[in-house]
Amino acid sequence: MDYPLLNVFLTTMWVFLWILWLFLLFRVFADLFRDDALNGWAKAGWTVFVLVLPFLGVFVYLVARGRGMGMRETKRAEKAEAEFREFMRTTATTGRAAELEHLVELKNHGDLTAEEYERAKAKVLAA
């Protein structure tokens, strides 16, 4: 087995570049099919171009639509974060905290005695 060290480095580099290109190809397809601004014919055209001439197709896509890829990804991340924050806000106000707040209001208003309040609070916290 005679495989010089330089050949190991070159093989490793080519494998790395091939995997990098595959990730880039999948990223292009993901961006292409997530983009709502393109109609079906444009998506089909880009898909054929990328499949028929893979290297050229990916590089032309990056040059033509690369800036938009970043903007769309940023917008998608901001939307996901806003939805998460809204979910957390609504969940926090409808959970135990809201029930405890309601119990405190009832106690302060005089509708619950201290003993009833403690029992109800224990029940809410145990659930």
Side-chain angles (χ1 to χ4, degrees):
M1 266 192 79
D2 187 27
Y3 199 65
L5 185 61
L6 182 60
N7 285 350
V8 171
F9 289 137
L10 288 175
T11 302
T12 304
M13 181 191 71
W14 284 113
V15 168
F16 174 75
L17 288 174
W18 184 73
I19 291 172
L20 183 69
W21 183 80
L22 278 177
F23 273 104
L24 188 59
L25 180 69
F26 286 117
R27 173 110 178 175
V28 164
F29 276 120
D31 180 67
L32 181 63
F33 288 108
R34 286 179 183 164
D35 188 10
D36 294 332
L38 288 178
N39 63 17
W41 287 107
K43 290 179 183 184
W46 276 111
T47 301
V48 168
F49 185 45
V50 169
L51 289 177
V52 171
L53 299 169
F55 291 107
L56 182 63
V58 167
F59 293 132
V60 169
Y61 187 86
L62 289 176
V63 169
R65 300 180 47 86
R67 181 180 306 242
M69 283 177 72
M71 289 179 188
R72 284 185 293 277
E73 187 65 32
T74 302
K75 194 183 319 179
R76 204 171 5 263
E78 288 172 351
K79 181 181 175 191
E81 183 179 351
E83 288 174 355
F84 174 74
R85 289 182 185 274
E86 178 64 23
F87 171 76
M88 292 304 292
R89 188 183 62 76
T90 57
T91 303
T93 59
T94 59
R96 293 181 183 172
E99 290 181 41
L100 290 174
E101 183 179 325
H102 182 67
L103 288 174
V104 168
E105 288 176 13
L106 288 175
K107 180 184 170 202
N108 291 341
H109 191 262
D111 295 335
L112 289 177
T113 64
E115 182 181 306
E116 291 172 331
Y117 169 75
E118 290 300 324
R119 271 190 274 137
K121 183 173 101 174
K123 188 185 286 188
V124 168
L125 293 176

